[in-house]
Amino acid sequence: MGQRTEAAAGCLTAALGAGAGLAVWSVDVRDRWWRFEAAPDWSVLYAELPLAILGGTAAALGVRALLRRLRPRR
């Protein structure tokens, strides 16, 4: 695999991981937003959202690195 293909695959993996993290975060976000006495909980946006996106990206890149390591060399 060429360098450009390898770089594109890494970027695509990171983008898909971020999308997966965003999708997981968006499940029941409305319930988490109005958590305490019907007032908005801003930590849902400034803490949970970035962590979900970064976690999804890290997980996807970790799985990609593991699969690349396990794949036989040519």
Side-chain angles (χ1 to χ4, degrees):
M1 200 181 287
Q3 276 186 322
R4 287 185 178 182
T5 307
E6 195 68 31
C11 289
L12 183 61
T13 302
L16 290 175
L22 182 62
V24 168
W25 173 82
S26 67
V27 174
D28 291 334
V29 73
R30 192 170 287 200
D31 293 337
R32 289 192 317 265
W33 179 258
W34 296 103
R35 230 183 262 182
F36 183 70
E37 302 220 357
D41 184 10
W42 292 100
S43 70
V44 171
L45 292 179
Y46 70 78
E48 290 181 16
L49 178 60
L51 287 175
I53 292 174
L54 288 174
T57 303
L61 290 175
V63 168
R64 182 176 185 274
L66 180 66
L67 290 175
R68 189 166 178 225
R69 184 116 161 123
L70 293 175
R71 192 178 76 200
R73 303 250 184 237
R74 291 184 190 182

Short mmCIF file of all heavy atoms in Angstrom, two decimals:
data_model
loop_
_atom_site.label_atom_id
_atom_site.label_comp_id
_atom_site.label_asym_id
_atom_site.label_seq_id
_atom_site.Cartn_x
_atom_site.Cartn_y
_atom_site.Cartn_z
N MET A 1 0.86 -1.18 0.00
CA MET A 1 0.00 0.00 0.00
C MET A 1 0.90 1.23 0.00
O MET A 1 1.86 1.31 0.76
CB MET A 1 -0.87 -0.03 1.26
CG MET A 1 -2.08 0.82 1.15
SD MET A 1 -3.12 0.84 2.62
CE MET A 1 -3.88 -0.75 2.61
N GLY A 2 0.58 2.19 -0.85
CA GLY A 2 1.38 3.40 -0.96
C GLY A 2 1.18 4.34 0.22
O GLY A 2 0.26 4.18 1.03
N GLN A 3 2.05 5.33 0.31
CA GLN A 3 1.98 6.28 1.42
C GLN A 3 0.69 7.09 1.38
O GLN A 3 0.09 7.34 2.43
CB GLN A 3 3.16 7.22 1.38
CG GLN A 3 4.40 6.67 2.04
CD GLN A 3 5.49 7.73 2.10
OE1 GLN A 3 5.64 8.51 1.16
NE2 GLN A 3 6.23 7.73 3.18
N ARG A 4 0.29 7.50 0.21
CA ARG A 4 -0.94 8.30 0.11
C ARG A 4 -2.17 7.48 0.49
O ARG A 4 -3.06 7.98 1.17
CB ARG A 4 -1.10 8.84 -1.30
CG ARG A 4 -0.14 9.94 -1.62
CD ARG A 4 -0.43 10.51 -2.97
NE ARG A 4 0.49 11.60 -3.25
CZ ARG A 4 0.47 12.31 -4.33
NH1 ARG A 4 -0.44 12.06 -5.27
NH2 ARG A 4 1.33 13.28 -4.52
N THR A 5 -2.20 6.25 0.06
CA THR A 5 -3.32 5.37 0.41
C THR A 5 -3.35 5.11 1.90
O THR A 5 -4.41 5.13 2.53
CB THR A 5 -3.22 4.04 -0.36
OG1 THR A 5 -3.07 4.31 -1.73
CG2 THR A 5 -4.43 3.19 -0.12
N GLU A 6 -2.18 4.89 2.47
CA GLU A 6 -2.06 4.65 3.91
C GLU A 6 -2.52 5.88 4.71
O GLU A 6 -3.24 5.78 5.70
CB GLU A 6 -0.61 4.32 4.24
CG GLU A 6 -0.39 3.71 5.58
CD GLU A 6 -0.95 2.33 5.72
OE1 GLU A 6 -1.02 1.57 4.75
OE2 GLU A 6 -1.33 2.00 6.85
N ALA A 7 -2.12 7.06 4.27
CA ALA A 7 -2.53 8.29 4.94
C ALA A 7 -4.03 8.52 4.80
O ALA A 7 -4.69 8.92 5.77
CB ALA A 7 -1.76 9.47 4.36
N ALA A 8 -4.55 8.27 3.62
CA ALA A 8 -6.00 8.44 3.42
C ALA A 8 -6.79 7.46 4.27
O ALA A 8 -7.83 7.82 4.83
CB ALA A 8 -6.34 8.27 1.95
N ALA A 9 -6.30 6.22 4.37
CA ALA A 9 -6.99 5.23 5.20
C ALA A 9 -6.96 5.63 6.67
O ALA A 9 -7.95 5.47 7.39
CB ALA A 9 -6.34 3.86 5.01
N GLY A 10 -5.85 6.19 7.14
CA GLY A 10 -5.77 6.66 8.52
C GLY A 10 -6.72 7.80 8.80
O GLY A 10 -7.39 7.85 9.83
N CYS A 11 -6.79 8.75 7.88
CA CYS A 11 -7.71 9.88 8.04
C CYS A 11 -9.17 9.43 8.00
O CYS A 11 -10.00 9.91 8.79
CB CYS A 11 -7.46 10.92 6.95
SG CYS A 11 -5.92 11.80 7.15
N LEU A 12 -9.47 8.50 7.11
CA LEU A 12 -10.83 7.98 7.02
C LEU A 12 -11.20 7.21 8.28
O LEU A 12 -12.32 7.35 8.80
CB LEU A 12 -10.97 7.08 5.79
CG LEU A 12 -12.36 6.51 5.53
CD1 LEU A 12 -13.35 7.64 5.30
CD2 LEU A 12 -12.33 5.58 4.35
N THR A 13 -10.25 6.46 8.82
CA THR A 13 -10.50 5.73 10.06
C THR A 13 -10.76 6.69 11.21
O THR A 13 -11.67 6.48 12.01
CB THR A 13 -9.30 4.83 10.39
OG1 THR A 13 -9.08 3.93 9.32
CG2 THR A 13 -9.52 4.05 11.66
N ALA A 14 -9.97 7.75 11.30
CA ALA A 14 -10.17 8.75 12.35
C ALA A 14 -11.53 9.43 12.22
O ALA A 14 -12.24 9.65 13.21
CB ALA A 14 -9.05 9.77 12.32
N ALA A 15 -11.92 9.76 10.99
CA ALA A 15 -13.21 10.41 10.77
C ALA A 15 -14.37 9.47 11.12
O ALA A 15 -15.36 9.89 11.74
CB ALA A 15 -13.32 10.88 9.33
N LEU A 16 -14.25 8.22 10.73
CA LEU A 16 -15.31 7.25 11.07
C LEU A 16 -15.37 7.01 12.57
O LEU A 16 -16.47 6.86 13.14
CB LEU A 16 -15.07 5.93 10.33
CG LEU A 16 -15.29 5.97 8.83
CD1 LEU A 16 -14.91 4.64 8.20
CD2 LEU A 16 -16.73 6.31 8.51
N GLY A 17 -14.24 7.00 13.24
CA GLY A 17 -14.23 6.85 14.70
C GLY A 17 -14.88 8.04 15.39
O GLY A 17 -15.63 7.88 16.35
N ALA A 18 -14.60 9.24 14.90
CA ALA A 18 -15.23 10.44 15.47
C ALA A 18 -16.74 10.40 15.24
O ALA A 18 -17.52 10.75 16.13
CB ALA A 18 -14.63 11.69 14.84
N GLY A 19 -17.16 9.95 14.07
CA GLY A 19 -18.60 9.82 13.80
C GLY A 19 -19.25 8.79 14.69
O GLY A 19 -20.38 8.98 15.16
N ALA A 20 -18.56 7.69 14.93
CA ALA A 20 -19.10 6.66 15.82
C ALA A 20 -19.20 7.19 17.25
O ALA A 20 -20.18 6.93 17.95
CB ALA A 20 -18.23 5.42 15.77
N GLY A 21 -18.19 7.93 17.68
CA GLY A 21 -18.25 8.53 19.02
C GLY A 21 -19.40 9.52 19.15
O GLY A 21 -20.09 9.56 20.17
N LEU A 22 -19.61 10.31 18.11
CA LEU A 22 -20.73 11.25 18.11
C LEU A 22 -22.07 10.51 18.12
O LEU A 22 -23.01 10.92 18.82
CB LEU A 22 -20.64 12.16 16.88
CG LEU A 22 -21.70 13.23 16.74
CD1 LEU A 22 -21.62 14.19 17.91
CD2 LEU A 22 -21.51 13.98 15.43
N ALA A 23 -22.16 9.41 17.40
CA ALA A 23 -23.41 8.64 17.37
C ALA A 23 -23.69 8.02 18.73
O ALA A 23 -24.84 8.03 19.20
CB ALA A 23 -23.32 7.54 16.31
N VAL A 24 -22.66 7.51 19.39
CA VAL A 24 -22.85 6.93 20.73
C VAL A 24 -23.23 8.02 21.72
O VAL A 24 -24.09 7.82 22.58
CB VAL A 24 -21.57 6.18 21.17
CG1 VAL A 24 -21.64 5.82 22.64
CG2 VAL A 24 -21.37 4.94 20.32
N TRP A 25 -22.61 9.19 21.61
CA TRP A 25 -22.92 10.29 22.52
C TRP A 25 -24.35 10.77 22.35
O TRP A 25 -25.01 11.15 23.31
CB TRP A 25 -21.95 11.45 22.27
CG TRP A 25 -22.28 12.67 23.03
CD1 TRP A 25 -21.97 12.94 24.33
CD2 TRP A 25 -23.02 13.82 22.57
NE1 TRP A 25 -22.45 14.17 24.68
CE2 TRP A 25 -23.09 14.73 23.62
CE3 TRP A 25 -23.59 14.15 21.35
CZ2 TRP A 25 -23.73 15.96 23.50
CZ3 TRP A 25 -24.23 15.36 21.23
CH2 TRP A 25 -24.30 16.25 22.30
N SER A 26 -24.86 10.76 21.12
CA SER A 26 -26.18 11.33 20.86
C SER A 26 -27.34 10.47 21.37
O SER A 26 -28.47 10.95 21.42
CB SER A 26 -26.36 11.59 19.36
OG SER A 26 -26.39 10.37 18.67
N VAL A 27 -27.07 9.25 21.78
CA VAL A 27 -28.12 8.39 22.32
C VAL A 27 -28.55 8.95 23.68
O VAL A 27 -27.73 9.14 24.57
CB VAL A 27 -27.63 6.94 22.47
CG1 VAL A 27 -28.66 6.09 23.17
CG2 VAL A 27 -27.27 6.37 21.11
N ASP A 28 -29.80 9.27 23.83
CA ASP A 28 -30.39 9.81 25.07
C ASP A 28 -29.75 11.12 25.52
O ASP A 28 -29.70 11.40 26.71
CB ASP A 28 -30.31 8.79 26.21
CG ASP A 28 -31.21 7.60 25.99
OD1 ASP A 28 -32.22 7.76 25.27
OD2 ASP A 28 -30.90 6.52 26.50
N VAL A 29 -29.26 11.93 24.61
CA VAL A 29 -28.65 13.20 25.00
C VAL A 29 -29.69 14.14 25.59
O VAL A 29 -29.39 14.93 26.48
CB VAL A 29 -27.88 13.85 23.82
CG1 VAL A 29 -28.82 14.41 22.79
CG2 VAL A 29 -26.94 14.91 24.33
N ARG A 30 -30.91 14.05 25.13
CA ARG A 30 -31.96 14.93 25.66
C ARG A 30 -32.22 14.65 27.14
O ARG A 30 -32.42 15.57 27.93
CB ARG A 30 -33.23 14.76 24.85
CG ARG A 30 -34.25 15.83 25.14
CD ARG A 30 -35.36 15.76 24.16
NE ARG A 30 -34.87 16.26 22.88
CZ ARG A 30 -35.63 16.70 21.92
NH1 ARG A 30 -36.93 16.67 22.06
NH2 ARG A 30 -35.13 17.15 20.81
N ASP A 31 -32.18 13.38 27.52
CA ASP A 31 -32.37 13.03 28.94
C ASP A 31 -31.20 13.51 29.78
O ASP A 31 -31.38 13.95 30.92
CB ASP A 31 -32.53 11.53 29.10
CG ASP A 31 -33.81 11.01 28.48
OD1 ASP A 31 -34.76 11.82 28.31
OD2 ASP A 31 -33.86 9.81 28.14
N ARG A 32 -29.98 13.43 29.26
CA ARG A 32 -28.81 13.88 30.02
C ARG A 32 -28.76 15.40 30.09
O ARG A 32 -28.23 15.97 31.05
CB ARG A 32 -27.53 13.35 29.37
CG ARG A 32 -27.36 11.88 29.56
CD ARG A 32 -25.97 11.41 29.19
NE ARG A 32 -25.40 11.97 27.99
CZ ARG A 32 -25.44 11.42 26.79
NH1 ARG A 32 -26.04 10.26 26.63
NH2 ARG A 32 -24.88 12.00 25.76
N TRP A 33 -29.26 16.06 29.08
CA TRP A 33 -29.23 17.53 29.04
C TRP A 33 -30.07 18.13 30.16
O TRP A 33 -29.67 19.09 30.79
CB TRP A 33 -29.73 18.00 27.68
CG TRP A 33 -29.77 19.47 27.53
CD1 TRP A 33 -30.87 20.26 27.60
CD2 TRP A 33 -28.67 20.35 27.28
NE1 TRP A 33 -30.54 21.56 27.40
CE2 TRP A 33 -29.19 21.64 27.21
CE3 TRP A 33 -27.31 20.16 27.12
CZ2 TRP A 33 -28.38 22.75 26.98
CZ3 TRP A 33 -26.52 21.26 26.89
CH2 TRP A 33 -27.06 22.53 26.82
N TRP A 34 -31.25 17.58 30.44
CA TRP A 34 -32.14 18.10 31.49
C TRP A 34 -32.06 17.21 32.71
O TRP A 34 -33.05 16.67 33.18
CB TRP A 34 -33.57 18.17 30.98
CG TRP A 34 -33.71 19.13 29.86
CD1 TRP A 34 -33.81 18.82 28.55
CD2 TRP A 34 -33.71 20.55 29.93
NE1 TRP A 34 -33.89 19.95 27.80
CE2 TRP A 34 -33.82 21.03 28.62
CE3 TRP A 34 -33.61 21.45 30.98
CZ2 TRP A 34 -33.85 22.39 28.34
CZ3 TRP A 34 -33.65 22.80 30.69
CH2 TRP A 34 -33.77 23.27 29.39
N ARG A 35 -30.89 17.02 33.25
CA ARG A 35 -30.65 16.10 34.34
C ARG A 35 -31.17 16.60 35.69
O ARG A 35 -31.88 15.92 36.39
CB ARG A 35 -29.14 15.89 34.47
CG ARG A 35 -28.76 14.48 34.52
CD ARG A 35 -27.30 14.37 34.72
NE ARG A 35 -26.67 14.15 33.43
CZ ARG A 35 -25.41 13.97 33.25
NH1 ARG A 35 -24.60 13.99 34.26
NH2 ARG A 35 -24.93 13.76 32.07
N PHE A 36 -30.77 17.77 36.09
CA PHE A 36 -30.95 18.21 37.47
C PHE A 36 -31.98 19.33 37.55
O PHE A 36 -31.73 20.44 37.11
CB PHE A 36 -29.60 18.68 38.03
CG PHE A 36 -29.64 19.08 39.45
CD1 PHE A 36 -29.84 18.13 40.43
CD2 PHE A 36 -29.51 20.39 39.81
CE1 PHE A 36 -29.87 18.50 41.75
CE2 PHE A 36 -29.54 20.77 41.12
CZ PHE A 36 -29.72 19.82 42.10
N GLU A 37 -33.11 19.06 38.12
CA GLU A 37 -34.17 20.04 38.41
C GLU A 37 -34.55 20.88 37.20
O GLU A 37 -34.75 22.09 37.31
CB GLU A 37 -33.73 20.94 39.55
CG GLU A 37 -33.42 20.17 40.80
CD GLU A 37 -33.92 20.86 42.04
OE1 GLU A 37 -34.46 21.96 41.95
OE2 GLU A 37 -33.76 20.26 43.10
N ALA A 38 -34.64 20.25 36.05
CA ALA A 38 -35.10 20.88 34.81
C ALA A 38 -34.25 22.07 34.38
O ALA A 38 -34.73 22.99 33.74
CB ALA A 38 -36.56 21.29 34.93
N ALA A 39 -32.99 22.09 34.75
CA ALA A 39 -32.06 23.11 34.28
C ALA A 39 -31.05 22.43 33.36
O ALA A 39 -30.68 21.28 33.58
CB ALA A 39 -31.35 23.75 35.46
N PRO A 40 -30.60 23.12 32.34
CA PRO A 40 -29.66 22.49 31.41
C PRO A 40 -28.33 22.16 32.10
O PRO A 40 -27.83 22.93 32.90
CB PRO A 40 -29.46 23.50 30.31
CG PRO A 40 -30.20 24.71 30.67
CD PRO A 40 -30.97 24.46 31.91
N ASP A 41 -27.80 21.01 31.76
CA ASP A 41 -26.51 20.58 32.27
C ASP A 41 -25.48 20.79 31.17
O ASP A 41 -25.38 20.00 30.24
CB ASP A 41 -26.59 19.10 32.67
CG ASP A 41 -25.32 18.61 33.31
OD1 ASP A 41 -24.44 19.44 33.61
OD2 ASP A 41 -25.20 17.39 33.50
N TRP A 42 -24.70 21.87 31.27
CA TRP A 42 -23.77 22.25 30.21
C TRP A 42 -22.59 21.30 30.09
O TRP A 42 -21.90 21.31 29.08
CB TRP A 42 -23.29 23.67 30.43
CG TRP A 42 -24.40 24.65 30.22
CD1 TRP A 42 -25.14 25.25 31.18
CD2 TRP A 42 -24.93 25.09 28.97
NE1 TRP A 42 -26.09 26.07 30.60
CE2 TRP A 42 -25.97 25.98 29.25
CE3 TRP A 42 -24.61 24.82 27.64
CZ2 TRP A 42 -26.70 26.61 28.26
CZ3 TRP A 42 -25.33 25.45 26.65
CH2 TRP A 42 -26.37 26.33 26.96
N SER A 43 -22.34 20.48 31.11
CA SER A 43 -21.21 19.54 31.02
C SER A 43 -21.44 18.50 29.93
O SER A 43 -20.49 17.88 29.46
CB SER A 43 -20.98 18.85 32.37
OG SER A 43 -22.02 17.95 32.65
N VAL A 44 -22.69 18.34 29.53
CA VAL A 44 -22.98 17.43 28.42
C VAL A 44 -22.27 17.91 27.15
O VAL A 44 -21.76 17.11 26.37
CB VAL A 44 -24.50 17.33 28.19
CG1 VAL A 44 -24.83 16.57 26.93
CG2 VAL A 44 -25.18 16.68 29.39
N LEU A 45 -22.20 19.22 26.96
CA LEU A 45 -21.57 19.76 25.76
C LEU A 45 -20.06 19.95 25.91
O LEU A 45 -19.30 19.60 25.02
CB LEU A 45 -22.20 21.10 25.40
CG LEU A 45 -23.63 21.05 24.92
CD1 LEU A 45 -24.13 22.45 24.63
CD2 LEU A 45 -23.74 20.19 23.69
N TYR A 46 -19.61 20.52 27.03
CA TYR A 46 -18.19 20.85 27.12
C TYR A 46 -17.33 19.72 27.67
O TYR A 46 -16.11 19.78 27.56
CB TYR A 46 -17.95 22.14 27.90
CG TYR A 46 -18.22 22.06 29.39
CD1 TYR A 46 -17.31 21.49 30.25
CD2 TYR A 46 -19.37 22.60 29.92
CE1 TYR A 46 -17.55 21.43 31.60
CE2 TYR A 46 -19.62 22.55 31.26
CZ TYR A 46 -18.70 21.97 32.11
OH TYR A 46 -18.95 21.92 33.45
N ALA A 47 -17.92 18.69 28.24
CA ALA A 47 -17.12 17.58 28.76
C ALA A 47 -17.42 16.27 28.03
O ALA A 47 -16.50 15.61 27.54
CB ALA A 47 -17.37 17.42 30.25
N GLU A 48 -18.67 15.90 27.97
CA GLU A 48 -19.02 14.59 27.40
C GLU A 48 -18.84 14.53 25.89
O GLU A 48 -18.34 13.52 25.37
CB GLU A 48 -20.46 14.23 27.75
CG GLU A 48 -20.67 13.92 29.21
CD GLU A 48 -22.11 13.56 29.50
OE1 GLU A 48 -22.88 13.27 28.56
OE2 GLU A 48 -22.48 13.58 30.68
N LEU A 49 -19.22 15.56 25.17
CA LEU A 49 -19.12 15.54 23.70
C LEU A 49 -17.68 15.43 23.20
O LEU A 49 -17.37 14.53 22.42
CB LEU A 49 -19.81 16.76 23.10
CG LEU A 49 -19.75 16.89 21.58
CD1 LEU A 49 -20.40 15.68 20.91
CD2 LEU A 49 -20.41 18.17 21.13
N PRO A 50 -16.76 16.27 23.67
CA PRO A 50 -15.37 16.11 23.19
C PRO A 50 -14.76 14.77 23.60
O PRO A 50 -14.01 14.17 22.83
CB PRO A 50 -14.62 17.27 23.85
CG PRO A 50 -15.65 18.24 24.24
CD PRO A 50 -16.89 17.47 24.49
N LEU A 51 -15.08 14.30 24.80
CA LEU A 51 -14.54 13.00 25.22
C LEU A 51 -15.08 11.86 24.38
O LEU A 51 -14.36 10.91 24.07
CB LEU A 51 -14.85 12.77 26.70
CG LEU A 51 -14.03 13.61 27.67
CD1 LEU A 51 -14.50 13.37 29.10
CD2 LEU A 51 -12.56 13.32 27.54
N ALA A 52 -16.34 11.93 24.00
CA ALA A 52 -16.92 10.89 23.16
C ALA A 52 -16.28 10.89 21.77
O ALA A 52 -15.96 9.83 21.22
CB ALA A 52 -18.44 11.08 23.04
N ILE A 53 -16.06 12.06 21.21
CA ILE A 53 -15.45 12.14 19.89
C ILE A 53 -14.00 11.68 19.93
O ILE A 53 -13.55 10.90 19.09
CB ILE A 53 -15.58 13.57 19.32
CG1 ILE A 53 -17.05 13.86 19.02
CG2 ILE A 53 -14.73 13.74 18.07
CD1 ILE A 53 -17.33 15.26 18.59
N LEU A 54 -13.24 12.14 20.93
CA LEU A 54 -11.84 11.71 21.06
C LEU A 54 -11.74 10.23 21.37
O LEU A 54 -10.85 9.53 20.86
CB LEU A 54 -11.14 12.53 22.14
CG LEU A 54 -10.85 13.98 21.77
CD1 LEU A 54 -10.28 14.72 22.97
CD2 LEU A 54 -9.92 14.08 20.60
N GLY A 55 -12.64 9.73 22.19
CA GLY A 55 -12.64 8.30 22.50
C GLY A 55 -12.95 7.45 21.29
O GLY A 55 -12.33 6.40 21.07
N GLY A 56 -13.91 7.87 20.49
CA GLY A 56 -14.23 7.14 19.27
C GLY A 56 -13.08 7.15 18.29
O GLY A 56 -12.76 6.13 17.67
N THR A 57 -12.41 8.29 18.16
CA THR A 57 -11.26 8.39 17.27
C THR A 57 -10.13 7.49 17.75
O THR A 57 -9.52 6.76 16.97
CB THR A 57 -10.78 9.85 17.18
OG1 THR A 57 -11.86 10.65 16.73
CG2 THR A 57 -9.61 9.99 16.24
N ALA A 58 -9.84 7.54 19.05
CA ALA A 58 -8.76 6.72 19.60
C ALA A 58 -9.06 5.23 19.47
O ALA A 58 -8.17 4.44 19.14
CB ALA A 58 -8.53 7.09 21.06
N ALA A 59 -10.30 4.86 19.71
CA ALA A 59 -10.67 3.45 19.60
C ALA A 59 -10.53 2.96 18.16
O ALA A 59 -10.00 1.87 17.91
CB ALA A 59 -12.09 3.24 20.10
N ALA A 60 -10.99 3.76 17.21
CA ALA A 60 -10.90 3.36 15.80
C ALA A 60 -9.45 3.24 15.35
O ALA A 60 -9.08 2.29 14.66
CB ALA A 60 -11.66 4.35 14.93
N LEU A 61 -8.63 4.20 15.73
CA LEU A 61 -7.22 4.13 15.34
C LEU A 61 -6.49 2.99 16.04
O LEU A 61 -5.59 2.38 15.47
CB LEU A 61 -6.53 5.47 15.62
CG LEU A 61 -6.96 6.62 14.72
CD1 LEU A 61 -6.31 7.92 15.17
CD2 LEU A 61 -6.64 6.33 13.27
N GLY A 62 -6.89 2.69 17.27
CA GLY A 62 -6.31 1.55 17.98
C GLY A 62 -6.65 0.23 17.32
O GLY A 62 -5.79 -0.65 17.16
N VAL A 63 -7.90 0.08 16.92
CA VAL A 63 -8.31 -1.14 16.21
C VAL A 63 -7.59 -1.24 14.87
O VAL A 63 -7.14 -2.33 14.48
CB VAL A 63 -9.85 -1.16 16.02
CG1 VAL A 63 -10.27 -2.24 15.05
CG2 VAL A 63 -10.54 -1.34 17.35
N ARG A 64 -7.44 -0.12 14.17
CA ARG A 64 -6.74 -0.14 12.89
C ARG A 64 -5.28 -0.55 13.08
O ARG A 64 -4.74 -1.34 12.31
CB ARG A 64 -6.82 1.23 12.24
CG ARG A 64 -6.14 1.26 10.88
CD ARG A 64 -6.33 2.60 10.21
NE ARG A 64 -5.80 2.58 8.88
CZ ARG A 64 -4.52 2.83 8.58
NH1 ARG A 64 -3.69 3.12 9.54
NH2 ARG A 64 -4.10 2.79 7.34
N ALA A 65 -4.63 -0.01 14.10
CA ALA A 65 -3.24 -0.38 14.36
C ALA A 65 -3.11 -1.86 14.73
O ALA A 65 -2.17 -2.53 14.30
CB ALA A 65 -2.68 0.49 15.48
N LEU A 66 -4.06 -2.36 15.51
CA LEU A 66 -4.03 -3.77 15.89
C LEU A 66 -4.23 -4.67 14.67
O LEU A 66 -3.50 -5.66 14.49
CB LEU A 66 -5.12 -4.05 16.92
CG LEU A 66 -5.23 -5.49 17.41
CD1 LEU A 66 -3.98 -5.85 18.20
CD2 LEU A 66 -6.47 -5.65 18.25
N LEU A 67 -5.18 -4.34 13.82
CA LEU A 67 -5.41 -5.13 12.62
C LEU A 67 -4.22 -5.07 11.66
O LEU A 67 -3.87 -6.06 11.02
CB LEU A 67 -6.69 -4.67 11.91
CG LEU A 67 -7.99 -4.97 12.63
CD1 LEU A 67 -9.16 -4.36 11.87
CD2 LEU A 67 -8.18 -6.46 12.81
N ARG A 68 -3.62 -3.90 11.58
CA ARG A 68 -2.45 -3.78 10.71
C ARG A 68 -1.27 -4.60 11.25
O ARG A 68 -0.49 -5.16 10.50
CB ARG A 68 -2.06 -2.31 10.63
CG ARG A 68 -1.02 -2.05 9.61
CD ARG A 68 -0.90 -0.57 9.32
NE ARG A 68 0.15 -0.40 8.35
CZ ARG A 68 1.08 0.52 8.44
NH1 ARG A 68 1.05 1.37 9.43
NH2 ARG A 68 2.01 0.61 7.53
N ARG A 69 -1.17 -4.67 12.56
CA ARG A 69 -0.09 -5.46 13.18
C ARG A 69 -0.32 -6.96 12.99
O ARG A 69 0.62 -7.72 12.81
CB ARG A 69 -0.04 -5.14 14.66
CG ARG A 69 1.04 -5.78 15.42
CD ARG A 69 1.91 -4.69 15.91
NE ARG A 69 2.75 -5.10 17.00
CZ ARG A 69 4.05 -4.99 16.92
NH1 ARG A 69 4.59 -4.53 15.83
NH2 ARG A 69 4.79 -5.31 17.94
N LEU A 70 -1.57 -7.38 13.03
CA LEU A 70 -1.90 -8.80 12.90
C LEU A 70 -1.89 -9.26 11.45
O LEU A 70 -1.76 -10.47 11.20
CB LEU A 70 -3.27 -9.08 13.51
CG LEU A 70 -3.36 -8.91 15.02
CD1 LEU A 70 -4.79 -9.11 15.48
CD2 LEU A 70 -2.41 -9.83 15.74
N ARG A 71 -2.04 -8.35 10.51
CA ARG A 71 -2.07 -8.71 9.10
C ARG A 71 -0.68 -9.19 8.66
O ARG A 71 0.32 -8.57 8.99
CB ARG A 71 -2.47 -7.50 8.28
CG ARG A 71 -2.82 -7.84 6.84
CD ARG A 71 -3.26 -6.63 6.09
NE ARG A 71 -2.04 -5.85 5.80
CZ ARG A 71 -2.04 -4.58 5.49
NH1 ARG A 71 -3.16 -3.91 5.48
NH2 ARG A 71 -0.92 -3.94 5.23
N PRO A 72 -0.63 -10.28 7.92
CA PRO A 72 0.70 -10.78 7.49
C PRO A 72 1.37 -9.81 6.53
O PRO A 72 0.72 -9.16 5.72
CB PRO A 72 0.38 -12.10 6.81
CG PRO A 72 -1.07 -12.06 6.48
CD PRO A 72 -1.71 -11.11 7.45
N ARG A 73 2.67 -9.73 6.66
CA ARG A 73 3.46 -8.85 5.78
C ARG A 73 3.70 -9.51 4.43
O ARG A 73 3.76 -10.72 4.33
CB ARG A 73 4.81 -8.55 6.42
CG ARG A 73 4.69 -7.94 7.77
CD ARG A 73 5.13 -6.51 7.72
NE ARG A 73 5.10 -5.96 9.08
CZ ARG A 73 4.41 -4.92 9.40
NH1 ARG A 73 3.69 -4.33 8.50
NH2 ARG A 73 4.42 -4.45 10.61
N ARG A 74 3.87 -8.71 3.40
CA ARG A 74 4.12 -9.25 2.06
C ARG A 74 5.58 -9.16 1.73
O ARG A 74 6.32 -8.37 2.09
CB ARG A 74 3.33 -8.47 1.02
CG ARG A 74 1.88 -8.73 1.14
CD ARG A 74 1.17 -8.02 0.04
NE ARG A 74 -0.27 -8.09 0.31
CZ ARG A 74 -1.15 -7.59 -0.49
NH1 ARG A 74 -0.79 -6.98 -1.59
NH2 ARG A 74 -2.41 -7.68 -0.22
#
